[in-house]
Amino acid sequence: MRVKVISRSTDEFTRERSQDLQKVFRNYDPGLRSQEKAVEYTRALNAAKLEKIFAKPFIGAMDGHIDAVSCMAKNPNHLKAIFSGSMDGDIRLWDIAVRKTVCQFPGHQGAVRGLTTSTDGDLLVSCGVDCTVRLWKVPMLKMVDTSEHTGDSSQPSAVYTWKHAFWGADHQWDGNLFATVGAQVDIWDPNRSEPVNSFEWGKDTVLSVRFDPGDCNILITSASDRSLTLYDLRMSSPATKLIMKTRCNSVCWNPREPMNFTAANEDTNCYSFDARKLNEAKIVHKGHVSAVMDIDYSPTGREFVTGSYDRTVRIFNYLGDHSREIYHTKRMQRVFCVKYTYDGTYLVSGSDDTNLRLWKSKASEQLGVLLPRERKKQEYLDAVKERYKHLPEVKRIVRHRHLPKPIYKAANLRRTMIEAENRKEERRRKHSAPGSMPVQPFRKRRIIKEVE
């Protein structure tokens, strides 16, 4: 008779210290674990509930401006540094770790509309409705010592006066040039007092500009004539123009897929495009109930944040048609600008109530250092939630959000209007000659034409 004996080495299950966990030997044979799916479903359900319990995204507000915050810029040298400009001409450098002002940059006589920093983070460019472009030396030494914040003032290293007001600015990701927009698109060199190049297509005001992260010679603008225009600095004229039914307030490139960009539109939606095929939007991102004012991508390129006139901040998956998160407070008013931090952990919003607000990008994420066991457990819970997210109970809990009453009512009203419009179009098609009213996908409805 053959007898099987279980033999184990003492070293395998003996703890080195009394604080160590006991090693547990498991057999992962699915035949021995008949209740595995039921157990994992219960864990996914509990993880979804716990995520709602610990969801506290708001960290704090940064108070100091005396007028609405109109624009922001990040510093590539420091994660905790962010610049903000307000409608009264005040520019501030903030340390978001302690939520205090480090330095002020006075000088503008009107609203600051554009802020951007150079590639090396040593130069700050500001422009506004007072028809001036100001270059500032960034006080980098003050960001090292955060124990004392004096709020010193800085003087501009150069001031350029131009013929028209400015509405936006952006710096090349890898280069020395920066662009400003207003009545036209101007390309500037910091060493020259006049633009090195200017572009113009029509007589309308250009509202925003963004350089392509992948090619420093390509930039995109949005204008008040409802157009999105692509420019190439190597050409003497603009390359392509896309005209939509409503105006785009801001645009932003995907940093990981530089051929794709997303536009924040007045019609409450965001539209993602491929720059190589502009006659159709890739994805329409819905959720806001009022005009979307600003947009910014996370460093990973997998998410972007939007700020809207409806006094909310939303986070979208770059492939998702609805927001995965919505942030709001009772005191926050219309949001004019939003930014992700360079590590993608936090986001900053600037609103009409003069405050900058700091949020977590993941509402229930634990701040601070995590032990390896805690990190592995969180990864496991995220995995089971992802696995069972299609089931009704988990889906309901994950998607549920408490909304302010005005937004809830406005969303219901907007849903009713869209359904009525769809019914009207369907009846028209039913009572028209066959083929006279072709079905047009929603991704093409808001686009009028593309001009080469």
Coordinates of all heavy atoms in Angstrom, one line a residue, residues 35 88 94 96 99 107 126 138 149 166 198 205 275 301 362 402 425:
Q35 N -17.7 28.6 -4.6 CA -18.4 29.9 -4.3 C -17.5 31.1 -4.6 O -17.7 32.2 -4.1 CB -18.8 29.9 -2.8 CG -19.8 28.8 -2.4 CD -21.1 29.0 -3.1 OE1 -21.6 30.1 -3.2 NE2 -21.6 27.9 -3.6
D88 N -8.8 91.3 -12.2 CA -8.4 92.6 -11.8 C -6.9 92.8 -12.1 O -6.4 93.9 -11.7 CB -8.6 92.8 -10.3 CG -7.8 91.9 -9.4 OD1 -7.3 90.8 -10.0 OD2 -7.7 92.1 -8.2
W94 N 1.3 80.2 -6.3 CA 0.9 79.5 -5.1 C 1.7 78.3 -4.8 O 2.2 77.6 -5.7 CB -0.6 79.0 -5.3 CG -1.6 80.1 -5.6 CD1 -1.9 80.7 -6.8 CD2 -2.4 80.8 -4.6 NE1 -2.8 81.7 -6.6 CE2 -3.2 81.8 -5.3 CE3 -2.5 80.7 -3.2 CZ2 -4.1 82.6 -4.7 CZ3 -3.4 81.5 -2.6 CH2 -4.2 82.5 -3.3
I96 N 0.8 74.9 -3.5 CA -0.4 74.2 -3.1 C -0.2 73.2 -2.0 O -1.2 72.6 -1.5 CB -1.0 73.5 -4.4 CG1 0.0 72.4 -4.9 CG2 -1.4 74.5 -5.5 CD1 -0.5 71.7 -6.1
R99 N -1.0 75.8 0.5 CA -2.1 76.6 0.1 C -2.0 78.1 0.4 O -2.9 78.7 1.0 CB -3.5 76.1 0.6 CG -3.7 74.6 0.2 CD -5.2 74.3 0.3 NE -5.7 74.3 1.7 CZ -5.5 73.3 2.5 NH1 -4.9 72.1 2.1 NH2 -6.0 73.3 3.8
G107 N 1.0 94.6 -12.2 CA 1.4 95.3 -13.4 C 0.3 95.5 -14.5 O 0.2 96.5 -15.1
S126 N 2.6 86.4 -19.4 CA 1.2 86.8 -19.1 C 0.8 87.8 -20.2 O 1.6 88.6 -20.7 CB 1.1 87.4 -17.7 OG 1.8 88.6 -17.6
V138 N 10.7 83.7 -12.9 CA 10.0 83.0 -11.9 C 11.0 82.8 -10.7 O 12.1 82.4 -10.8 CB 9.6 81.6 -12.4 CG1 8.9 80.8 -11.2 CG2 8.6 81.7 -13.5
H149 N 6.4 82.3 3.9 CA 5.8 82.8 2.7 C 5.6 84.3 2.9 O 4.7 84.7 3.6 CB 4.5 82.1 2.4 CG 4.7 80.6 2.2 ND1 4.9 80.1 0.9 CD2 4.7 79.6 3.0 CE1 5.0 78.7 1.1 NE2 4.9 78.4 2.3
F166 N -5.4 90.7 -25.7 CA -5.1 89.3 -25.8 C -6.1 88.5 -25.0 O -6.6 88.9 -24.0 CB -3.7 89.0 -25.3 CG -2.6 89.7 -26.1 CD1 -2.0 90.9 -25.6 CD2 -2.2 89.2 -27.3 CE1 -1.0 91.5 -26.3 CE2 -1.2 89.9 -28.0 CZ -0.6 91.0 -27.5
S198 N 2.8 86.1 -37.7 CA 1.4 86.4 -37.4 C 0.5 85.6 -38.4 O 0.8 85.6 -39.6 CB 1.0 87.9 -37.4 OG 1.7 88.5 -36.4
T205 N -12.5 87.1 -33.1 CA -11.6 87.0 -32.0 C -11.2 85.6 -31.7 O -12.1 84.7 -31.6 CB -12.2 87.6 -30.7 OG1 -12.6 89.0 -31.0 CG2 -11.3 87.6 -29.5
A275 N -6.9 64.9 -35.4 CA -6.5 66.0 -36.2 C -6.4 65.6 -37.7 O -6.4 66.4 -38.6 CB -5.1 66.5 -35.7
G301 N -2.9 61.0 -20.0 CA -3.7 61.1 -21.2 C -4.9 60.2 -21.2 O -5.6 60.1 -22.2
K362 N -8.9 61.2 -7.5 CA -9.7 60.1 -7.1 C -10.3 60.4 -5.8 O -9.6 60.5 -4.8 CB -8.9 58.8 -7.1 CG -8.3 58.4 -8.4 CD -7.5 57.1 -8.3 CE -7.0 56.7 -9.7 NZ -6.1 55.5 -9.6
H402 N -24.7 62.5 -5.7 CA -25.6 63.5 -5.1 C -25.3 64.8 -5.8 O -24.2 65.4 -5.8 CB -25.3 63.7 -3.6 CG -25.8 62.5 -2.8 ND1 -27.1 62.2 -2.6 CD2 -25.1 61.5 -2.2 CE1 -27.3 61.2 -1.9 NE2 -26.1 60.7 -1.6
E425 N -37.7 64.7 -35.1 CA -36.9 64.4 -36.3 C -37.3 63.0 -36.8 O -37.4 62.8 -38.1 CB -35.4 64.3 -35.9 CG -34.5 64.0 -37.1 CD -33.0 64.0 -36.7 OE1 -32.7 64.3 -35.5 OE2 -32.2 63.7 -37.5

